[in-house]
Amino acid sequence: MEKSSQISGFHKLNLADRIDVFKAFAELTDEEAALLGKSAVLGMETAQRMIENVVGTFELPLGLVPNMRVNGRDLILPIAVEESSVVAAMANAAKMVRSGGGFFASTSEPLMIAQIQCLDVSDPFAAKARILERKDEAIRLCNEQDPILVKLGGGCRDVEVRVLDTVKGPMVITHIIVDTRDAMGANAVNTMAEALAPSIEEWTGGRVLLRILSNLADRRIARARCIVRKDAIKPGPEVVDGILQAWAFADADPYRAATHNKGIMNGISALVIATGNDFRAIEAGAHAYAAQSGHYRALTKWEANADGDLVGSIEMPLAMGLVGGATAIHPMAKLVVKSLKLRGATELAEITAAAGLCQNLAALRALSAEGIQRGHMSLHAKNIAIQAGAGGAEIEEVADRLIKGGKVRADIAEAILNELRKAHGAGN
Ligand code: NAD
C-alpha cells in the first residue's frame, strides 16, 4: 500500500521521532538511518535552529585553492564544492594569473534594492511623482527601521519609481536603495519595504501587494580583472586565440553562455557556500545580470592586450555578507571567513569575483587546449571505480586502467574489477 506523506503534527515531532518516521516512510536500513541525526561540525542543535524538520546535516568537501593573489594580497581560498577538478583547475589558473600580478578587484557601494508593488492606481504616472516628492520622508521612514545599520554608515540612500506595464495592467513599483554595509541585507531591506508600504498606499491611493528585495542586485557590483602573460599559458601562447574564440562563442550564444557562466559559478558558489552566504541569491543575481541586455551573455570578457597577453575581466552582482545569515552561525563558515582576514563584506565580494574569473580561465583554457574531459578524467575515473564497487588500492588500479583504455564507463569498471579480483584470488 502506498504510504501517505501527509503526517499530522509532523513539525511538532522531535529529532528522534522525525528520523523514525522518515526511516519507516523511506524504508531505510538501520545502517542508512544511522547516517541521520548527527553532525561533526554544525551540531544538531544549531542545525535545528537554522531550518525546520531537520533530520541530519549534509557534508560537502572543503578544498583549498592556493596561489590566489587579489589586490596584492596572497590568499589560500577554502571552497566547498562536490564537483571534481574545480579546486585543481582553479589552483592552476591562479598560478598562471600570478605572472601578471594576480587579480585586481573592486566593488561598488553595497547597495541593495527592495521593491514595493502597488496595484489599482488610477493615475500611475502622477502617483510616481507624488512618491518622489516625498523621497526624504520615505528615506527617513526606512532608516527608522534599522538604527544599527544607520549608525554603521549604512541605510536607505535613494528611492526610485517605475510604472510597469503588465498583463494585469499598470503597476507602480517603488525601489528603495539601501546601503547594507557588511550584511547581505535581505532582512534589512525587506523590513524597510514593509514599513514604507502603508505610506505608499496613502500617497498613491493604490494597494500594496509584494514588498521584497530584488536579487538582481545591480547596484552592488563586484569587478575583477587579470592579465595572463602569453608565455605563462600552458601549453603555449597559441591558447590565447583559442580562449578568445571560446569566449566570443559564449558571449554570442545563450546555449554556450549558460555553460560558460556555470563554470564561473563553480568558483563563485563554492566560495559563497564556504562563507555561509546565500548561494541561491547569488546565482539568481548572476543569471539575471547576464541577461540584462535582453540577451543572455557571458559574465566575463576576454581580450588580448597590445603585447598579446590575455586580459580577462568580470563584472556581476555579488550581494555577500559577513553578518546575518549562516555566516554568523555556521562554525565552518566562521573559520573560512576568519582565514581570509577580510576588511569587510566588499572585500569578500572582490575575492569572490576573482574566484569566478579564475575558474573561467581554467575552464576556457582546458576546453580550448585539450577538451574538458582529460582534466576531469582522473577524479571521474576514481568515482566510477568506487561506484563499481572498488575499495582501497583497487580504486587507483581500476581508475588507471579505465583511463589507459580511453573509456571511463561503469560497465568497463566492473569488468576490470572482476578481473582484478579473479587475478588476486588466483594468486592466493
Ligand atoms: P540579518 O538581518 O541577520 O542581519 C543584518 C542586520 O545586522 C542589519 O540590518 C543590522 O541591523 C545588523 N548589523 C550589525 N552589524 C552590521 C554590519 N557591520 N553591517 C550591516 N549590518 C549590521 O541579515 P540580512 O543580511 O539582512 O539577511 C540575510 C539573510 O536573509 C540570509 O540568510 C538570506 O538567505 C535571507 N533571505 C534572502 C532572501 C533573498 O535573497 N531573496 C529573502 C529573504 C531572506
Side-chain angles (χ1 to χ4, degrees):
M1 202 177 71
E2 204 189 320
K3 299 184 194 101
S4 172
S5 65
Q6 192 177 3
I7 300 161
S8 87
F10 189 72
H11 67 286
K12 290 188 203 143
L13 297 180
N14 65 26
L15 176 63
D17 291 342
R18 275 196 299 272
I19 292 173
D20 283 346
V21 168
F22 183 47
K23 185 183 172 205
F25 184 85
E27 292 163 23
L28 302 180
T29 63
D30 288 345
E31 209 180 17
E32 286 162 343
L35 300 175
L36 301 171
K38 57 187 178 200
S39 161
V41 173
L42 188 56
M44 291 310 296
E45 283 296 312
T46 312
Q48 290 179 88
R49 276 198 303 273
M50 289 173 77
I51 67 165
E52 308 77 30
N53 298 345
V54 168
V55 288
T57 56
F58 191 97
E59 290 180 309
L60 285 176
L62 186 75
L64 296 179
V65 179
N67 308 325
M68 286 294 287
R69 195 167 166 79
V70 182
N71 290 340
R73 209 153 77 72
D74 269 44
L75 297 161
I76 293 179
L77 282 194
I79 63 170
V81 66
E82 86 297 346
E83 187 178 344
S84 53
S85 302
V86 170
V87 172
M90 266 177 91
N92 281 336
K95 205 169 176 182
M96 287 192 268
V97 169
R98 287 179 86 87
S99 67
F103 296 92
F104 300 91
S106 63
T107 50
S108 66
E109 292 292 293
L111 297 176
M112 295 300 283
I113 299 168
Q115 302 187 290
I116 303 169
Q117 175 200 27
C118 192
L119 312 171
D120 307 334
V121 181
S122 52
D123 55 351
F125 291 99
K128 167 179 173 174
R130 290 197 295 277
I131 297 170
L132 291 174
E133 282 159 26
R134 293 163 176 84
K135 190 187 268 193
D136 290 347
E137 191 182 341
I139 291 175
R140 186 181 50 74
L141 252 167
C142 288
N143 283 338
E144 277 171 13
Q145 310 310 313
D146 203 333
I148 299 174
L149 188 60
V150 173
K151 203 165 152 215
L152 289 165
C156 185
R157 294 276 186 263
D158 203 1
V159 175
E160 293 172 358
V161 184
R162 297 153 60 216
V163 176
L164 201 64
D165 248 334
T166 79
V167 289
K168 298 292 260 178
M171 295 176 187
V172 178
I173 309 296
T174 304
H175 284 193
I176 56 170
I177 320 284
V178 183
D179 182 328
T180 62
R181 299 281 91 193
D182 282 334
M184 180 266 187
N187 293 320
V189 300
N190 289 347
T191 308
M192 290 183 184
E194 283 180 12
L196 185 56
S199 303
I200 298 285
E201 288 188 334
E202 191 187 310
W203 301 336
T204 58
R207 174 172 63 94
V208 166
L209 194 59
L210 303 193
R211 297 143 296 168
I212 178 85
L213 95 156
S214 169
N215 287 114
L216 176 51
D218 63 356
R219 307 295 172 90
R220 194 172 187 169
I221 295 293
R223 303 173 201 93
R225 66 181 172 86
C226 65
I227 299 175
V228 192
R229 302 272 173 237
K230 58 180 183 292
D231 304 326
I233 301 181
K234 303 270 179 314
E238 66 283 359
V239 179
V240 171
D241 186 58
I243 289 177
L244 298 182
Q245 300 286 1
W247 168 76
F249 176 19
D251 207 43
D253 176 22
Y255 285 95
R256 174 62 210 137
T259 321
H260 178 99
N261 290 342
K262 187 275 180 185
I264 293 170
M265 300 315 285
N266 276 346
I268 290 186
S269 296
L271 186 55
V272 170
I273 292 170
T275 57
N277 271 280
D278 184 335
F279 55 96
R280 289 87 54 215
I282 298 290
E283 295 268 355
H287 297 295
Y289 192 71
Q292 227 182 2
S293 65
H295 180 84
Y296 184 85
R297 303 179 69 161
L299 286 164
T300 51
K301 306 237 181 277
W302 290 96
E303 306 159 286
N305 68 11
D307 298 330
D309 297 328
L310 187 65
V311 183
S313 54
I314 186 168
E315 188 183 272
M316 61 182 284
L318 277 172
M320 293 180 75
L322 293 177
V323 298
T327 310
I329 300 168
H330 198 297
M332 197 59 90
K334 287 203 250 183
L335 177 154
V336 169
V337 166
K338 181 185 170 189
S339 78
L340 295 172
K341 299 190 175 75
L342 300 165
R343 264 188 344 265
T346 50
E347 192 183 13
L348 178 57
E350 287 167 2
I351 294 169
T352 308
L357 186 59
C358 185
Q359 181 60 44
N360 187 223
L361 170 63
L364 290 180
R365 194 209 63 83
L367 275 170
S368 54
E370 63 210 21
I372 207 79
Q373 276 315 81
R374 203 173 104 189
H376 266 276
M377 248 345 132
S378 159
L379 279 172
H380 177 60
K382 281 186 197 157
N383 284 337
I384 294 289
I386 294 167
Q387 276 168 35
E394 288 172 346
I395 300 172
E396 200 85 29
E397 243 180 298
V398 174
D400 271 358
R401 286 178 54 176
L402 282 172
I403 292 172
K404 281 195 190 110
K407 284 194 185 105
V408 180
R409 279 189 356 219
D411 56 329
I412 301 177
E414 266 171 42
I416 296 173
L417 189 62
N418 285 339
E419 242 175 65
L420 277 180
R421 286 183 176 166
K422 255 189 222 151
H424 286 168
N428 283 340

